[in-house]
Amino acid sequence: PRLAADWLDVGSDIPAFDRSANSRTDMHRYYVIESEKVVARKGEHVIDQQAITVANQQACMILCDQDVLCDCSIYWRGSRACQRWSGCQRHSQNFVKDRSVYTLMKVPKLTPEYKEYKHYASGALSGFGGVTEVASSLECQDRCTVDASCDCAVWSVDGTSRCWTMTGCQKSHFRFDPIYSTFLKNNAKRVQVDMTTTEPASEWIPVVIADADTTTKEPAKTTEASATSVSEAATSSSPDRTSTSAASTTTMSTTTTTTTTTTTTTTTTTTTT
């Protein structure tokens, strides 16, 4: 069995998404890849030789919508610059790390069909795409859609918003796990993107696990004055105990003497008679 907090085993370096930024326009959904940018290695071509200044991230998406050849845009957050590209496909060989940018991948109007296997996970959750944080299961599917090498997406339903993209997915290798759903991609069948689709409410009840108290508490220190007082109290109580013991001894001796006297008197009286 797995625990609700099993997500802790992946560490704290999961890329986070910006909840305040829009990831769609009126025409398309976009999957936002943080801190990576596309380069021309697998048939990608730059449309804008010079980046165009825009108002924000969504404006860069709208700029891509205006060109039918645009498949993705690079958005520089600091300078708010936007550069459109065609032929974009997410793959480790044609993306490079760059912390100053977002790559905005356009989700096409026709996407592969996905079949959900609720409460099942594919493999050991160590897929080639790694784990990232997304806003919804729909965005997790979009992450797989814009990646030609992705065969399925695994979404956590426990409220942690994690998403894995996997390759080589086979239904026979799925394993039961109540905190995941696996979306198997079917490239042979295409479906129209519904821009009005909303994310269903999660049925998972999050479990909050409090951190253990690791604070080291120092033992109370006895002051020299306190130690002296305790010592004096112990010393003063000793004679009392000795006196009490002596008194007990005297009482016992007196009782014994009295008993002996009584016995002697009785014997003498008997003899006189």
Side-chain angles (χ1 to χ4, degrees):
R2 300 173 69 91
L3 300 176
D6 186 58
W7 61 275
L8 292 173
D9 62 0
V10 300
S12 59
D13 57 346
I14 301 176
F17 62 92
D18 184 358
R19 297 178 184 271
S20 63
N22 290 317
S23 60
R24 66 172 62 194
T25 65
D26 293 338
M27 297 179 62
H28 292 93
R29 293 201 307 264
Y30 282 79
Y31 177 71
V32 181
I33 302 175
E34 182 182 2
S35 301
E36 292 186 20
K37 67 179 180 181
V38 64
V39 292
R41 291 180 182 172
K42 294 282 185 178
E44 299 83 3
H45 300 283
V46 62
I47 296 175
D48 303 307
Q49 296 299 325
Q50 295 292 329
I52 302 171
T53 302
V54 293
N56 50 38
Q57 176 178 303
Q58 189 180 29
C60 189
M61 297 175 184
I62 294 174
L63 190 64
C64 188
D65 285 347
Q66 296 172 357
D67 193 324
V68 294
L69 297 178
C70 180
D71 296 314
C72 72
S73 293
I74 300 175
Y75 176 64
W76 283 266
R77 293 169 288 177
S79 60
R80 293 185 297 179
C82 180
Q83 186 181 55
R84 295 173 292 184
W85 286 68
S86 65
C88 308
Q89 279 294 331
R90 173 71 178 92
H91 195 278
S92 59
Q93 295 181 0
N94 57 348
F95 273 71
V96 296
K97 296 291 184 181
D98 188 335
R99 293 185 177 274
S100 66
V101 304
Y102 285 158
T103 295
L104 315 176
M105 301 289 293
K106 181 190 289 185
V107 178
K109 291 287 188 180
L110 292 176
T111 64
E113 182 184 54
Y114 287 90
K115 183 175 181 179
E116 180 181 5
Y117 292 85
K118 188 174 291 187
H119 305 316
Y120 279 87
S122 174
L125 298 183
S126 58
F128 75 99
V131 58
T132 190
E133 185 183 356
V134 296
S136 64
S137 62
L138 186 62
E139 188 171 336
C140 189
Q141 295 171 60
D142 286 346
R143 183 186 181 203
C144 189
T145 296
V146 299
D147 193 330
S149 54
C150 176
D151 295 321
C152 70
V154 180
W155 161 252
S156 61
V157 299
D158 59 354
T160 57
S161 303
R162 293 168 298 155
C163 173
W164 289 260
T165 50
M166 316 282 289
T167 186
C169 305
Q170 296 182 23
K171 180 183 175 182
S172 58
H173 294 165
F174 293 174
R175 56 181 174 80
F176 177 78
D177 197 320
I179 68 172
Y180 298 108
S181 281
T182 294
F183 296 88
L184 187 62
K185 181 195 282 187
N186 180 8
N187 283 310
K189 186 174 182 179
R190 300 279 166 165
V191 294
Q192 184 75 28
V193 170
D194 185 1
M195 295 297 295
T196 63
T197 300
T198 57
E199 184 71 8
S202 175
E203 300 175 357
W204 184 269
I205 300 177
V207 176
V208 178
I209 300 177
D211 293 336
D213 185 5
T214 58
T215 304
T216 303
K217 297 181 180 179
E218 296 183 358
K221 295 181 179 179
T222 305
T223 62
E224 184 177 351
S226 299
T228 304
S229 300
V230 172
S231 177
E232 291 175 351
T235 303
S236 62
S237 64
S238 297
D240 294 340
R241 288 197 296 270
T242 304
S243 301
T244 303
S245 178
S248 299
T249 305
T250 302
T251 303
M252 291 178 65
S253 300
T254 303
T255 303
T256 303
T257 302
T258 303
T259 304
T260 304
T261 304
T262 303
T263 304
T264 304
T265 304
T266 304
T267 304
T268 302
T269 303
T270 305
T271 303
T272 303
T273 303

